Amino acid sequence: VTAGVASLRGFCYQALGQLSARTPALVTGTADIAARVFGALASEPEGVRASVQGAARALARAYKGCGGGVAMAIEGLLLSSIDASASSAGGGAENSRRLVAAQWARELFPFDHVPARYLCVVAAGDAKADVREEGRAGLRPPGEEELLAKRRAGRFASEKTEKTEPEDEKSSRALPSATSVLAYLRARHPELGKPAALTARLPLPPLAMAAALAFAKRCVAEETAANPGTAAPEGYRLFLEHCLVKAAPPELTGAATEALLELVEQFPETFAEPADAAAAVARVRHFAAHVDAP
């Protein structure tokens, strides 16, 4: 591609970005434009890629809030762009596409949109640091860091201020239910619905599995706090089993062991079956025996 052609193509992507910002309805009726831009992120030469990224950012704002078939098509597009099996390969073009996919997953859908949070889980296990950070950010409720900083500064100390916080801001930070998160993980990785042997493989790369665990644990805490007296979310015990395998790094097994002990304490009925209780005890003993002494 000559410099002149690259410059012209760059102008075309800039024009697309401006069009989607001014008249989003012209480009968001289907996912076709989004698919072409994601394809361009991987195929356009480096000199054009910055313009493609700019168009992708503008399109993300245009597609925000989409629903129905368009939303489903976007979900599939993002999943194919950030697939875990491709995260350890590819050059700058593929890295760019995965980064933009992680950004779209973070920004395009409501925070309680489970498929988008799954995409962020996958991104959190990526080989590239910037993609991983984008994925982790997508698993934190919007504005959480700013909210915590304000509370530490005493800006939300008064009851009056707490009551006047806009309801839409509260709902935008709402976590998805733990039940729906675990069900989606099982749908993507059916082995999570079955007991795991100690020698089983991790369903996701270690960093992605750790991100899934941290997010699922947070959703479980939120769900059980809002509905005291309810049973543990379906599939949570089996999910923890799949984190407690020999292939898992120490950080993951440590966090999963802690979560398993919390599950025993809060929901002892989960281990009412003697076989389930014996399996949990054996797993905890196995990993406790492999903890290095101080």
Side-chain angles (χ1 to χ4, degrees):
V1 178
T2 64
V5 171
S7 178
L8 179 60
R9 294 178 75 87
F11 284 135
C12 289
Y13 287 114
Q14 291 171 18
L16 174 61
Q18 293 170 3
L19 178 65
S20 63
R22 294 176 181 175
T23 318
L26 289 178
V27 296
T28 58
T30 71
D32 293 348
I33 295 294
R36 294 189 68 172
V37 167
F38 271 86
L41 285 167
S43 63
E44 290 288 5
E46 187 174 356
V48 182
R49 211 173 299 146
S51 297
V52 182
Q53 290 173 332
R57 284 191 292 271
L59 278 173
R61 291 188 289 271
Y63 276 106
K64 190 169 185 176
C66 64
V70 174
M72 292 180 64
I74 294 289
E75 289 170 21
L77 173 64
L78 298 183
L79 186 61
S80 65
S81 299
I82 201 168
D83 185 81
S85 64
S87 66
S88 60
E94 287 297 330
N95 294 340
S96 175
R97 183 163 69 168
R98 295 202 310 279
L99 177 60
V100 172
Q103 292 168 342
W104 277 44
R106 178 185 175 187
E107 299 171 5
L108 204 65
F109 300 100
F111 191 70
D112 60 359
H113 188 269
V114 176
R117 291 324 112 210
Y118 172 76
L119 287 163
C120 291
V121 163
V122 175
D126 198 88
K128 299 295 291 183
D130 52 353
V131 181
R132 287 198 303 272
E133 183 50 42
E134 196 67 36
R136 291 167 185 158
L139 296 173
R140 295 192 293 267
E144 180 181 66
E145 284 137 1
E146 295 85 349
L147 182 63
L148 290 174
K150 289 177 182 178
R151 283 180 172 164
R152 282 194 293 268
R155 297 186 190 181
F156 288 105
S158 71
E159 183 179 352
K160 180 179 178 181
T161 306
E162 287 287 354
K163 287 184 178 179
T164 57
E165 185 181 2
E167 287 298 321
D168 58 346
E169 289 186 14
K170 291 181 181 179
S171 62
S172 72
R173 296 193 299 271
L175 288 161
S177 73
T179 301
S180 62
V181 169
L182 292 164
Y184 191 84
L185 285 167
R186 289 195 302 275
R188 300 298 317 179
H189 305 278
E191 64 269 33
L192 287 172
K194 304 172 185 177
L198 273 172
T199 55
R201 297 174 58 186
L202 286 170
L204 288 162
L207 289 176
M209 199 69 180
L213 170 58
F215 189 67
K217 184 178 176 181
R218 182 168 186 173
C219 292
V220 168
E222 181 94 355
E223 186 172 309
T224 54
N227 303 284
T230 58
E234 181 184 356
Y236 188 41
R237 177 182 60 81
L238 288 176
F239 175 77
L240 294 179
E241 269 192 22
H242 282 271
C243 295
L244 288 166
V245 295
K246 292 180 179 179
E251 295 81 5
L252 177 57
T253 57
T257 300
E258 180 182 348
L260 185 64
L261 294 175
E262 290 174 355
L263 184 63
V264 171
E265 181 180 2
Q266 296 177 20
F267 304 99
E269 67 278 5
T270 305
F271 301 89
E273 290 292 330
D276 294 339
V281 169
R283 248 181 172 74
V284 170
R285 283 179 174 170
H286 172 83
F287 288 103
H290 288 78
V291 174
D292 293 334

